[in-house]
Amino acid sequence: MKKSKIILLLCIFVFAQLAASQAKYIFYFIGDGMGVNYIDATEAYLSSINKERGTGQLLMTTFPVATFITTYSADNDVTDSAAAGTALATGKKSNNGFIGLLPDSSKIISLAEKAKKAGKKVGIASTVPVNHATPASFYAHQPKRSMYYEISQDLITSNFDFFGGAGFYNRNNFYDKTEAPDIYPLIEQAGYYIAKGIDDFKANSKKADKIVLLQKNWEKPEGIPYAIDRKTGDLSLKEITEAAIEVLTRKNNKGFFLMLEGGRIDWAGHGNDGATMVHEVIDMDEAIKVAYDFYKKHPKETLIVITADHETGGLTVGRGSLNLNVLQYQKKSADGLSEQLNELVKNNNGYLSWDDIKNLLTETMGFWDEISISQGNEKKLRDAYEATIAKQKDLKDTNLYAEYALLAATAKEVMNDIARLGWATKSHSANYVPIFAIGAGQEHFTRKMDNTDIPKKIMQIARY
């Protein structure tokens, strides 16, 4: 065989190998706050429901690649979502609070922006406001994560094809922007159709090439309701994923980049609400199943990467023993219980009896009925009642994203105690977070990594 033919065959072989690992379709899932122990707790919970240890498995943990990453920011070992989101979006470390900027405030281009420039369709979605820190890190460039109005303007400029989430923190959320134009008409003027709920999306999404899909009560962008509180008509991350795929594959043969955030996993972590957190992780896994179904149709062209921006709460799973099956009896988040409690107090002229409280906690938490309550835990609940409702005082338990009625917070703490879940903080920790991968280029994620490594590898695999 002539030398020229050998070289030609080698070139063909090398090209084929490179082409085989190129990903046309990228799914990038970020479980906000989802540390390794969140995965452990969720699978242990599922096993307890199955009544057989080791049988409760999330889809994400079945993927062929599983390792862990570090999350520190440029200015602290404990990151916030802005710096972590920026690292996951750009491959560069930044300071806590910075969105899409280096520590010297110079602009960094995200892999989503590079995907758009490369001719791909791009989608960004979350279960929290669309202009919150993690989703914003993929399209915005601002020195403060709290500059929500400016972040929303960056969203418009990005010209991405799909956005999804709870709504937007708008001008009325911040005193210095009350005279600014409302952001929603500006988004519509930029050519986006704003679908208010999944039914609106299904009926009208084909009217525009660019879509913003929001929770139906988008005027209050506190977050898509927790999975544990979900009512008919509420948006889910699974539905957002299905909608995003429909939009991004429409009239498109060049591929797409899609980032999907389980944002309320973190909010449950800040509230140290174990049952609610577990349901949020399961809910994100349901969205991952949608992406996995897409992958099975395009296995050589699709890459799915799942990770987290940081760990929240310093969760410990078990204290000498574990009793996670009791979490199944919690029917409301601490937020939902607090709202229901406040409504009952209001409707009863500011007063409820202890028997009224016991009936409520039996209905919503399973206490005394499905779950035995020790004298010590009953005393905690009774003390919270006596300090607040019995005296018609409104005492609160506050974390970063919620303000609970004291009794609701105490009920959640009692459930954690019975389940044997421990929390070290209501803020972030420096704990490792997981990464899972499947598909084209999965071999690039087979070692301990830093969060900045992930977007670099994705850009390499996708050739952005």
Side-chain angles (χ1 to χ4, degrees), residues 179-229:
E179 301 303 318
D182 188 276
I183 199 66
Y184 290 97
L186 296 180
I187 292 171
E188 290 176 320
Q189 289 167 21
Y192 288 92
Y193 178 75
I194 300 178
K196 303 174 180 70
I198 197 64
D199 291 338
D200 185 6
F201 172 82
K202 290 177 179 178
N204 301 301
S205 68
K206 291 180 173 60
K207 292 180 180 179
D209 293 328
K210 298 186 296 182
I211 303 291
V212 177
L213 172 59
L214 303 180
Q215 167 71 5
K216 61 181 181 179
N217 58 337
W218 51 275
E219 301 93 337
K220 297 180 179 180
E222 288 81 4
I224 291 171
Y226 284 119
I228 199 171
D229 297 326

Side-chain angles (χ1 to χ4, degrees), residues 304-361:
I304 304 173
V305 177
I306 305 151
T307 190
D309 53 353
H310 53 74
E311 195 272 351
T312 301
L315 176 66
T316 58
V317 185
R319 298 198 304 275
S321 62
L322 197 57
N323 189 31
L324 292 182
N325 68 296
V326 298
L327 299 182
Q328 67 184 297
Y329 303 115
Q330 182 172 328
K331 303 303 181 185
K332 286 183 179 290
S333 67
D335 301 60
L337 177 58
S338 185
E339 290 175 8
Q340 185 174 352
L341 180 62
N342 290 337
E343 188 68 20
L344 281 173
V345 170
K346 179 181 176 182
N347 292 339
N348 287 273
N349 299 315
Y351 179 77
L352 294 173
S353 69
W354 174 238
D355 284 340
D356 292 331
I357 295 301
K358 290 185 71 172
N359 289 336
L360 174 64
L361 295 180

Side-chain angles (χ1 to χ4, degrees), residues 435-454:
I435 178 171
F436 307 100
I438 190 171
Q442 66 184 38
E443 65 276 7
H444 291 273
F445 303 93
T446 55
R447 60 176 178 81
K448 175 190 171 184
M449 306 176 76
D450 183 65
N451 54 9
T452 56
D453 294 326
I454 300 173

Side-chain angles (χ1 to χ4, degrees), residues 32-43:
D32 198 314
M34 189 181 71
V36 173
N37 279 0
Y38 280 46
I39 302 296
D40 185 20
T42 302
E43 292 199 322

Side-chain angles (χ1 to χ4, degrees), residues 90-332:
T90 70
K92 300 289 185 181
K93 294 288 186 183
S94 191
N95 293 340
N96 287 350
F98 280 27
I99 297 286
L101 299 176
L102 288 171
D104 65 2
S105 297
S106 58
K107 183 177 178 180
I108 331 168
I109 303 302
S110 75
L111 76 166
E113 291 169 306
K114 289 183 178 181
K116 186 66 178 175
K117 188 175 180 180
K120 313 293 184 181
K121 286 196 173 184
V122 175
I124 304 295
S126 178
T127 54
V128 299
V130 187
N131 51 0
H132 215 258
T134 303
S137 297
F138 287 81
Y139 62 80
H141 307 275
Q142 298 296 336
K144 294 181 182 179
R145 59 179 291 177
S146 60
M147 296 173 69
Y148 296 109
Y149 193 82
E150 291 82 358
I151 288 170
S152 300
Q153 292 174 316
D154 285 346
L155 178 148
I156 294 170
T157 303
S158 76
N159 200 36
F160 290 174
D161 304 273
F162 179 90
F163 290 96
F168 291 83
Y169 288 135
N170 202 359
R171 60 182 182 180
N172 294 327
N173 298 98
F174 303 94
Y175 69 92
D176 60 339
K177 292 290 181 291
T178 54
E179 301 303 318
D182 188 276
I183 199 66
Y184 290 97
L186 296 180
I187 292 171
E188 290 176 320
Q189 289 167 21
Y192 288 92
Y193 178 75
I194 300 178
K196 303 174 180 70
I198 197 64
D199 291 338
D200 185 6
F201 172 82
K202 290 177 179 178
N204 301 301
S205 68
K206 291 180 173 60
K207 292 180 180 179
D209 293 328
K210 298 186 296 182
I211 303 291
V212 177
L213 172 59
L214 303 180
Q215 167 71 5
K216 61 181 181 179
N217 58 337
W218 51 275
E219 301 93 337
K220 297 180 179 180
E222 288 81 4
I224 291 171
Y226 284 119
I228 199 171
D229 297 326
R230 186 174 297 146
K231 297 181 177 63
T232 301
D234 286 335
L235 204 54
S236 69
L237 191 60
K238 177 182 177 181
E239 290 174 327
I240 293 174
T241 306
E242 292 169 339
I245 292 172
E246 196 271 310
V247 171
L248 299 180
T249 55
R250 187 189 301 164
K251 299 177 183 178
N252 175 30
N253 60 6
K254 293 185 177 181
F256 62 72
F257 171 84
L258 175 59
M259 191 288 292
L260 297 142
E261 182 199 24
R264 298 211 82 184
I265 298 172
D266 174 65
W267 292 22
H270 280 287
N272 293 173
D273 189 345
T276 300
M277 174 275 291
V278 162
H279 284 284
E280 288 302 297
V281 173
I282 294 170
D283 193 60
M284 191 174 85
D285 205 54
E286 290 296 317
I288 292 167
K289 288 177 183 177
V290 175
Y292 183 65
D293 286 341
F294 183 93
Y295 156 79
K296 288 189 291 185
K297 296 175 183 176
H298 311 275
K300 294 182 179 180
E301 300 177 296
T302 304
L303 172 65
I304 304 173
V305 177
I306 305 151
T307 190
D309 53 353
H310 53 74
E311 195 272 351
T312 301
L315 176 66
T316 58
V317 185
R319 298 198 304 275
S321 62
L322 197 57
N323 189 31
L324 292 182
N325 68 296
V326 298
L327 299 182
Q328 67 184 297
Y329 303 115
Q330 182 172 328
K331 303 303 181 185
K332 286 183 179 290

